[in-house]
Structures are given as C-alpha cells and as structure tokens.
Amino acid sequence: MNDRLKGKVVVVTGGGTGIGLGIARCCVEAGAAVMIAQRRIEIAELEAARLRDQGFAVQAHRCDVRRRTDVAALLDQAESLLGPVDVMINNAALTGKSLELRPFMEETDEHWRNVLDINLTGAFIGTQEAARRMIARGAGGSIINVSSVAQFAAQEGASAYCAGKAGMDGLTKSAAIELAAHGIRVNSIAPGDVHTEQSDQPREDAVGRGATGRFFRDTPLDRRGTPEEIGRVAVFLASDEASFVTGATWLVDGGFLSY
C-alpha cells in the first residue's frame, strides 16, 4: 500500500466489475476511502465486503448513471458515510458483451439512445453533480472519465459506442476549462484491449455477432491489459502528483494507437 490518496474520498461508478473494480482496488490500496456504485447493487455489495475484509474503507450504493436523482443520491451517501468527495470517476458504461454490437445499418434509435445515455450522458451527469459539490466545498477536486481507444479508432458494429467515447473527449476538455477556476481537474483515460469478464475474447465475440474481423489491430506489447493497469493511472490522475494535469486523455493501450 502507498499513501498517494490518503485522506481522499473516491466514487467509482461501475466500480463492482471489470475496469471499475480494478480502479477501486487501486484507489483503496493508495489509501482512499471508496464508494463503489453499480446498477446491480448485489455485485457492488459483494466486492465492497471483500475489500472491507482486507481492511479497506469501502461502501456500496446502487446507481443508474442515466438518472440524475440516482447520481445525486450516490454522492450524498458517499459524503454521509465517507466524507466529502474529492474524486469522481465516471467509469460506468455498456461495453464488451453488454454492448450488443450491431451493424451500422441495423442500429436502432432505442439502442443508440441507451448506449449514449449510459456511456456519455452518465459521465456528463456525474461530472456536473460532483463538480457542484466540489465548488460548494471550495477545496478543488479531480474528475476522471473512463473513455476508450474507440474515441480515436472506429470499431466495426459499434457506432453508438464510438460516438459516445468520442463525445467524452469534448466533455472532458470543455469541463476542464470551465472548472479550472475552481481548482477542479478533469481528465480521461482511454484504455485499449483490457481483459475483463465482459471482453473475454473480443475478436471471437465480435465475429460471432456479425463483424467481418477485418478491422482488428494488434497490441505492440503483445498482451492484453489488466484493470489494475488502468487503475494505477487513475490513482495518479486523482492524486496531487497530477496537480498540473487537466483536459487530457491518457492512453493506456499497450501501443494500440501507435500505428
């Protein structure tokens, strides 16, 4: 354990699974108290209990990031149980198997809106609600949006996903310049191919759902990333060591976008 986040309170949406759980683990190991938020509360409670058993300060709360009332209640509960929120990590997203890849010409209004509501609007609501509390407190803060290499490189059958992640770049930069006066830093992390339960075999899954498979690229480091490798970057961006970092997207992709 280190103390890079000692004394800080961190909220992680989608923190009970995959990359979100990796981020939550890294944050508690860095000394933070963490609130894990998940639509499926039983998953969040299970992981929070496991971390508490290891001696960490972790709580769980149900949250549908599409609903402002849910996000507001999440932040209120985090403050009530853990203290004022210093770091908001907007990680919740439809991705991997939950995304339901489909060809562009078969995309529907309903599916498009659902993906954008969770993946982009959820980050907007989380950023705005967290910033309101940080501004009122007057102590600054850090907001981190978890994006994807898909904000730079299109993926077959994932038009809604790519659009949402590209939109997150604009959201991050716009919020960063407007919140800078309040000492609030806003950054994003763009993971590459990370091994999670939802993305166990991405090539095979995509082809099995109708993709041609022609548009995959290899990762130069010749392996898949881990959720904790994303988490360690999140810890840096959340910490005071990143005090001059805002409006930036940090690629954590093993060189995926280098060619």
Side-chain angles (χ1 to χ4, degrees), residues 17 32 70 92 134 142-143 171 186 241:
T17 59
D70 275 23
M134 291 173 181
S142 174
I143 298 172
L171 167 65
V186 187
E241 293 177 10

Side-chain angles (χ1 to χ4, degrees), residues 180-208:
H182 302 284
I184 300 170
R185 299 180 295 103
V186 187
N187 294 287
S188 69
I189 302 173
D193 183 12
V194 175
H195 185 257
T196 67
E197 183 179 347
Q198 285 294 327
S199 60
D200 186 35
Q201 296 180 305
R203 292 177 187 244
E204 293 82 354
D205 289 343
V207 172

Side-chain angles (χ1 to χ4, degrees), residues 3-159:
D3 60 359
R4 296 169 86 180
L5 298 183
K6 184 177 180 180
K8 293 187 183 295
V9 173
V10 178
V11 173
V12 185
T13 66
T17 59
I19 288 175
L21 181 56
I23 291 172
R25 285 173 177 160
C26 289
C27 287
V28 296
E29 289 172 358
V34 173
M35 173 68 81
I36 293 175
Q38 197 86 14
R39 274 196 297 174
R40 294 173 292 173
I41 184 59
E42 65 279 3
I43 294 175
E45 289 176 338
L46 175 63
E47 296 300 340
R50 287 174 174 169
L51 288 168
R52 283 196 299 271
D53 287 344
Q54 297 172 42
F56 299 118
V58 184
Q59 296 292 332
H61 193 77
R62 185 191 178 280
C63 181
D64 183 339
V65 297
R66 296 171 296 183
R67 302 179 184 277
R68 187 174 291 273
T69 53
D70 275 23
V71 177
L74 164 67
L75 291 164
D76 289 345
Q77 184 75 343
E79 182 167 354
S80 174
L81 296 175
L82 302 173
V85 175
D86 302 286
V87 182
M88 179 68 174
I89 302 180
N90 296 304
N91 167 77
L94 290 175
T95 188
K97 295 174 184 176
S98 67
L99 181 60
E100 299 179 11
L101 293 178
R102 57 190 65 191
F104 177 73
M105 293 306 296
E106 295 177 18
E107 183 62 272
T108 65
D109 292 352
E110 180 182 14
H111 181 259
W112 175 274
R113 291 192 186 104
N114 190 43
V115 174
L116 270 291
D117 280 350
I118 295 173
N119 292 17
L120 181 57
T121 304
F124 158 67
I125 293 172
T127 297
Q128 195 177 64
E129 288 295 323
R132 282 186 175 138
R133 288 159 175 78
M134 291 173 181
I135 291 169
R137 184 185 177 201
S142 174
I143 298 172
I144 302 168
N145 296 319
V146 179
S147 183
S148 166
V149 290
Q151 80 175 58
F152 303 105
Q155 297 178 6
E156 191 179 11
S159 55

